[in-house]
Amino acid sequence: MAKRERVVRMSVEQPLWRALTGYRLLTMVYAVLLFGSTYKKFDRPGIAVGYLAVLAVWTLATHRKVANAASCTKRFLGADLTVAIVGILLTSLADTHERIAAGGPTLPSIWTAGSVLAFAIKGGWRWAGFASTFVAVANIVVHGGDPTRDTLHNVLLVWVASIAIGYVVEVARASEATLARALEIEAATRERERLARDIHDGVLQVLAMVQRRGTELGGEAAELGRMAGEQEVALRTLVSSGLVHTSRVSRDESLGALVHAYEVEEPGGDEGELDLRTLLAPHAGSKVSFAEPGTPVPLPVPAAKELAAAVWAALDNVRKHAGEGARAWILVEDWGDEVIVTVRDDGPGIPAGRLDQAEGEGRMGVALSIRGRLRDLGGTAELVSVPGQGTEVELKVPRGRTTQ
């Protein structure tokens, strides 16, 4: 039994949560020991004892809240920051004015930084700036609007450090998402390759045999063989490129293609870029060959859709005018500064003057559906047809100068 690829997700921020849990516990103990070493100097030590008791209970009771991002809710962050700010403000009631003016520590001391860091890890640098601003205001209020230089340095340090950590967390999350997506694509590619091997060894060989035997037997068996041949070509295209989703597939019997009308759903509407191959690959069938580069062919979404529509118009002309037995070829070339799509058929060709006559009669298929679309994109559409030798349409779209 074949093993399926499994994507293992990593969390770059989980170590930060574990570090924050330990930081809160250690700084709580530090705040208690710091008070214990100087409690005789406090004006109202009872207030400090009461607050530190609440701080110890709160820290121990909520240590699981900072174990990960899911448990660290906005409500908890607000309550945690409130505990820190209340402790800072209570310092003016518990301690003497002389010690506060000299830059003495607040009741929660450096435990306050843990509350701000929780904001930074949870919500990024904006949340960190919001929380550290409240802490800064509380420290300034305690010092009567005239904080010492050391107090200002400490406040600024917490503010800058928390914002920096918040920014690093945002970058780490973006990198983690990119890595996870890359791993998923790699796993999906390997799974597709495995399925392609299985299909090639089984289904495709059976379809090829049915086509060959049906042609030999003739009659109804020949029709069955023809249908098997179409399915073989379409299935081979799907497993080799992986560009067409089954939900978007319908039938176009005339050219042996699996797709007649298709729609690509792109998030963000017409913004960004789209791989042109995803729009053209569905045309492949028993009578339409599709050749593409091995790498994506990105174009702005409007340009890609217009170019694909022009290709469809060219294939529609093949269906209408080249006859039932005509074959068509689509070739995509990416030259860096421009993209060239060539549509060629082996039909009877177009007689000289026929296009001008059709345009005069009001049939504007080539003039509007093909040349008009390419002109709007800043490109060109060249049509070469030799009676008895088929028709070739070359569509060129420059990059960076489309007007759509």
Side-chain angles (χ1 to χ4, degrees), residues 353-365 367:
R354 180 56 181 163
L355 290 179
D356 294 335
Q357 178 184 353
E359 187 172 343
E361 294 173 354
R363 294 196 291 271
M364 311 292 286

Side-chain angles (χ1 to χ4, degrees), residues 162-175:
S162 62
I163 290 179
I165 292 175
Y167 178 75
V168 170
V169 169
E170 289 185 358
V171 173
R173 282 178 181 150
S175 301

